[in-house]
């Protein structure tokens, strides 16, 4: 060990994060570079003296930064590019990558089934800016987001900014949100359907005993009543070509059942229909027992009166919640439902921003909020939503149906939010899903129904697994993080006040 190295070790410099200048200075720039480096070194707690102070700046940097972690110079970061790839997850989910002048990049995700152009149109608004000013940048672009998947671009950018910021400061994203309440994140998974009770029992046993899930969710849809006479009123008018009443039907037909809001179908469930739906829930409840929370979803498009009747019919099964009985914006109807039934009510996966959650929370119209971070506004806004609900005695579960990028964004947010219950995992049985990324600290991403929080890995704690990702690109777009110069130019004045 040289005398200089001994001196640096004595000062504790091996534990300091010294910033290395990226570009080799030209001769006329050397003095300014020296001053810049010394200024940063002093701010970083470095004391330099003797002849060492008068060494050439290149030698000075080389000597003082040996065996020192290099994270970046956050104050000098600038966004230089945004690129994307379109994955096959959930029928089409885009991952974006935001690059910087220091080689640090951030990953974000445009919500499942949303157009990547929601994000690309924001590129011209963020180029050249410091990505660490996350809140300021979010406030400048949030005007371009809307409800549900229309928020996909803004949320994708926000995720990527936090990833960059965490990497630049060498801390996990949960630390930037204020610290953690837990080290692992409980998840809930869909209860699989099967052709017979015996086959379903086998699938459920696999879900709980082998995969280790401690919380399940199932669909209780009126589409299950197909072919059973006298179970629905006014359903024939709404049936699709296949003869069923599908909540997700022909999206191109504006007159279809799937595109008609809940209050406007006048479909009613008969007592016989309620009995059939009870049988479906009872069958699953008997399989999983009462130790495991069981949530329900996807009932169909009928009004809140029938929602109340269904809720009362299912009360004896002590469901963890009934999700999206009517559309989220009907605060008064949600209040009537919540007051009328004992089962907890839940909604929120399509709500954008805290201000749109507030009416439901303020009115105590639901028992649990359910934001999807890829729609609700990203990590910090979702943390704020959770905190606001907590103040009003309302818990938070989280919807998630995307790639590991949005998944890990949710994991960090869930760790930092006290009233969190469980996070959805919608790709439990997709064998290649977890391999789309690699953890940067070597941990397993999921263990027995729980997500493992990165305790030391900076940012989101993941990097893309290029080989696997390229194998699972969406058929409509096989490009892979190609240049996007056509989105560089800003073509409008965006300020929304005079």
């Amino acid at each position: 060990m040289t005398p200089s190295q001994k001196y640096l070790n004595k000062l504790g410099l091996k534990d300091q994060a010294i910033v290395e200048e990226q570009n080799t200075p030209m001769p006329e720039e050397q003095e300014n570079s020296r001053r810049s480096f010394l200024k940063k070194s002093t701010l970083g707690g470095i004391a330099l003296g003797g002849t060492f102070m008068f060494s050439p700046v290149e030698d000075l940097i080389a000597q003082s930064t040996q065996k020192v972690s290099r994270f970046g110079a956050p104050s000098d970061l600038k966004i230089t590019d945004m690129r994307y790839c379109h994955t096959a997850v959930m029928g089409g989910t885009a991952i974006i990558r935001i690059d910087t002048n220091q080689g640090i990049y951030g990953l974000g995700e445009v919500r499942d089934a949303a157009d990547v152009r929601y994000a690309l149109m924001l590129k011209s608004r963020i180029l050249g800016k410091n990505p660490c000013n996350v809140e300021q940048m979010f406030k400048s672009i949030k005007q371009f987001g809307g409800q549900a998947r229309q928020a996909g671009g803004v949320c994708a950018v926000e995720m990527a900014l936090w990833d960059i910021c965490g990497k630049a400061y060498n801390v996990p994203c949960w630390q930037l949100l204020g610290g953690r309440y837990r080290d692992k994140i409980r998840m809930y998974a869909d209860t699989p359907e099967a052709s017979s009770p015996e086959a379903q029992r086998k699938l459920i046993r696999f879900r709980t005993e082998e995969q280790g899930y401690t919380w399940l969710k199932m669909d209780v849809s009126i589409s299950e009543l197909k072919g059973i006479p006298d179970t629905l009123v006014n359903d024939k008018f709404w049936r699709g070509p296949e003869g069923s009443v599908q909540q997700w039907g022909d999206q191109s037909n504006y007159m279809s059942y799937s595109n008609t809001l809940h209050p406007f179908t006048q479909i009613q469930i008969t007592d016989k229909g309620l009995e059939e739906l009870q049988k479906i829930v009872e069958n699953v409840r008997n399989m999983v027992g009462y130790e495991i929370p069981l949530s329900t979803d996807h009932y169909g498009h009928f009004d809140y009166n029938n929602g109340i009747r269904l809720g009362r019919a299912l009360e004896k099964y002590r469901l963890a919640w009934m999700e999206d009985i009517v559309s989220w914006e009907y605060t008064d109807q949600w209040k009537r439902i919540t007051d009328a039934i004992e089962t907890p009510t839940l909604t929120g996966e399509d709500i954008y921003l805290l201000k749109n959650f507030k009416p439901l929370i303020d009115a105590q119209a639901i028992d649990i909020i359910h934001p999807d971070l890829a729609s609700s506004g990203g990590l910090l806004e979702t943390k704020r939503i959770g905190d606001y609900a907590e103040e009003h005695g309302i818990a938070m579960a989280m919807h998630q149906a995307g790639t590991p990028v949005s998944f890990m964004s949710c994991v960090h947010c869930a760790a930092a939010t006290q009233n969190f219950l469980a996070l959805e995992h919608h790709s439990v049985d997709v064998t290649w899903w977890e391999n789309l990324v690699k953890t940067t600290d070597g941990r397993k991403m999921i263990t027995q129904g729980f997500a493992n929080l990165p305790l030391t890995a900076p940012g989101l704690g993941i990097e893309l697994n290029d080989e696997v990702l390229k194998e699972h690109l969406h058929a409509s777009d096989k490009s892979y993080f190609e240049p996007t110069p056509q989105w560089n130019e800003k073509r409008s004045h965006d300020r929304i006040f005079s």
Side-chain angles (χ1 to χ4, degrees):
M1 182 179 292
T2 66
S4 296
Q5 288 172 321
K6 291 180 180 178
Y7 179 67
L8 289 170
N9 285 340
K10 184 178 180 181
L11 293 175
L13 291 182
K14 62 181 179 180
D15 295 323
Q16 298 289 339
I18 311 299
V19 177
E20 183 178 19
E21 298 289 347
Q22 279 201 316
N23 301 317
T24 301
M26 299 296 289
E28 60 268 28
E29 297 174 327
Q30 285 186 354
E31 186 59 30
N32 288 335
S33 297
R34 185 194 302 271
R35 290 173 182 169
S36 175
F37 173 77
L38 294 176
K39 181 179 179 181
K40 292 175 183 176
S41 299
T42 303
L43 291 175
I46 302 176
L48 301 175
T51 56
F52 194 40
M53 184 70 86
F54 301 100
S55 302
V57 68
E58 293 86 355
D59 295 343
L60 183 63
I61 292 172
Q63 287 289 331
S64 62
T65 60
Q66 286 186 31
K67 299 182 181 179
V68 175
S69 299
R70 298 170 176 81
F71 311 133
S75 61
D76 294 337
L77 273 171
K78 284 184 174 55
I79 294 172
T80 58
D81 204 356
M82 181 198 293
R83 302 186 182 192
Y84 77 94
C85 74
H86 195 191
T87 77
V89 174
M90 292 297 295
T93 304
I95 294 173
I96 67 165
R97 190 188 74 210
I98 294 179
D99 297 326
T100 69
N101 60 331
Q102 295 180 24
I104 301 173
Y105 66 88
L107 299 174
E109 178 187 308
V110 184
R111 186 178 166 182
D112 61 288
D115 196 321
V116 69
R117 288 173 290 189
Y118 283 133
L120 291 172
M121 64 87 60
L122 301 174
K123 180 181 179 182
S124 61
R125 277 85 180 170
I126 65 175
L127 281 176
K129 295 186 177 180
N130 189 323
C132 293
N133 295 325
V134 183
E135 186 173 27
Q136 183 275 327
M137 293 185 68
F138 174 73
K139 287 182 177 179
S140 71
I141 64 173
K142 71 177 182 179
Q143 62 182 296
F144 300 107
Q147 307 305 328
R149 286 157 181 83
Q150 295 176 30
V154 173
C155 297
V157 169
E158 202 264 8
M159 291 180 216
L161 296 180
W162 281 119
D163 193 23
I164 294 172
C165 193
K167 291 172 181 175
Y169 285 98
N170 197 43
V171 293
C173 287
W174 57 260
Q175 188 70 72
L176 297 170
L177 296 178
R180 71 184 191 270
Y181 287 95
R182 52 194 62 86
D183 293 344
K184 58 182 182 178
I185 306 305
R186 191 179 189 180
M187 298 189 294
Y188 72 85
D190 286 338
T191 304
E193 297 179 1
S195 57
S196 69
E198 293 74 20
Q200 190 173 42
R201 188 175 289 107
K202 183 178 179 180
L203 289 173
I204 289 176
R205 192 160 49 243
F206 173 70
R207 184 73 91 229
T208 57
E209 295 179 10
E210 294 189 38
Q211 293 181 313
Y213 284 87
T214 62
W215 194 311
L216 301 176
K217 188 170 80 171
M218 63 179 294
D219 294 346
V220 190
S221 173
I222 59 173
S223 64
E224 299 284 348
L225 302 177
K226 178 183 176 181
I228 306 176
D230 303 324
T231 54
L232 296 173
V233 177
N234 192 39
D235 61 301
K236 291 182 180 178
F237 177 82
W238 294 108
R239 291 195 179 275
E242 73 290 342
S244 63
V245 182
Q246 289 289 347
Q247 183 176 350
W248 302 100
D250 183 5
Q251 301 297 301
S252 64
N253 179 8
Y254 68 92
M255 293 179 61
S256 75
Y257 169 77
S258 61
N259 291 324
T260 303
L261 287 167
H262 293 72
F264 311 131
T265 67
Q266 197 50 32
I267 287 180
Q268 297 191 63
I269 311 172
T270 67
D271 287 347
K272 181 179 179 180
L274 292 175
E275 290 173 3
E276 293 296 330
L277 294 176
Q278 279 182 287
K279 290 178 184 177
I280 294 173
V281 176
E282 184 172 12
N283 182 44
V284 175
R285 176 53 92 189
N286 288 338
M287 291 181 189
V288 303
Y290 280 87
E291 288 296 320
I292 293 179
L294 181 62
S295 304
T296 58
D297 189 15
H298 292 309
Y299 315 100
H301 290 183
F302 46 78
D303 66 12
Y304 78 92
N305 293 294
N306 283 270
I308 290 172
R309 292 178 64 241
L310 178 60
R312 287 173 174 168
L314 301 180
E315 279 180 351
K316 63 182 178 180
Y317 303 110
R318 309 316 303 169
L319 298 174
W321 68 64
M322 292 185 69
E323 178 177 337
D324 295 337
I325 302 172
V326 294
S327 190
W328 65 268
E329 67 267 33
Y330 297 126
T331 301
D332 292 341
Q333 294 186 20
W334 272 111
K335 177 66 173 170
R336 295 185 192 119
I337 295 171
T338 300
D339 288 346
I341 67 176
E342 295 179 5
T343 301
T345 54
L346 169 148
T347 193
E349 69 182 68
D350 293 321
I351 303 179
Y352 179 52
L353 303 179
L354 171 59
K355 70 176 184 179
N356 294 309
F357 275 90
K358 281 186 174 181
L360 287 163
I361 295 170
D362 291 343
Q364 296 284 306
I366 53 174
D367 297 298
I368 306 169
I369 58 168
H370 195 225
D372 186 314
L373 187 145
S375 282
S376 56
L379 282 80
L380 181 57
E381 187 74 359
T382 306
K383 158 74 171 164
R384 286 174 171 157
I385 292 165
D387 289 347
Y388 189 80
E390 180 190 349
E391 292 176 5
H392 292 74
I394 293 174
M396 180 178 79
M398 297 179 73
H399 181 271
Q400 191 281 141
T403 79
V405 175
S406 67
F407 177 83
M408 285 308 304
S409 298
C410 291
V411 166
H412 284 269
C413 183
T417 310
Q418 185 171 11
N419 58 336
F420 166 78
L421 292 175
L423 168 65
E424 181 171 18
H425 185 10
H426 212 291
S427 299
V428 179
D429 299 318
V430 179
T431 56
W432 45 265
W433 183 89
E434 196 169 341
N435 294 326
L436 293 174
V437 300
K438 295 177 283 189
T439 60
T440 56
D441 57 358
R443 77 188 185 285
K444 288 189 65 176
M445 195 158 63
I446 297 172
T447 303
Q448 289 292 292
F450 286 82
N452 298 308
L453 182 69
L455 298 181
T456 58
L460 294 178
I462 54 173
E463 61 183 17
L464 299 179
N465 189 342
D466 295 320
E467 292 183 6
V468 176
L469 200 51
K470 288 177 181 178
E471 292 176 2
H472 298 286
L473 296 174
H474 195 267
S476 66
D477 188 347
K478 294 291 187 178
S479 65
Y480 193 74
F481 296 106
E482 298 295 328
T484 57
Q486 67 272 28
W487 295 96
N488 288 2
E489 183 183 351
K490 184 178 176 182
R491 297 183 177 90
S492 70
H493 181 62
D494 298 333
R495 202 178 75 183
I496 56 176
F497 61 91
S498 299

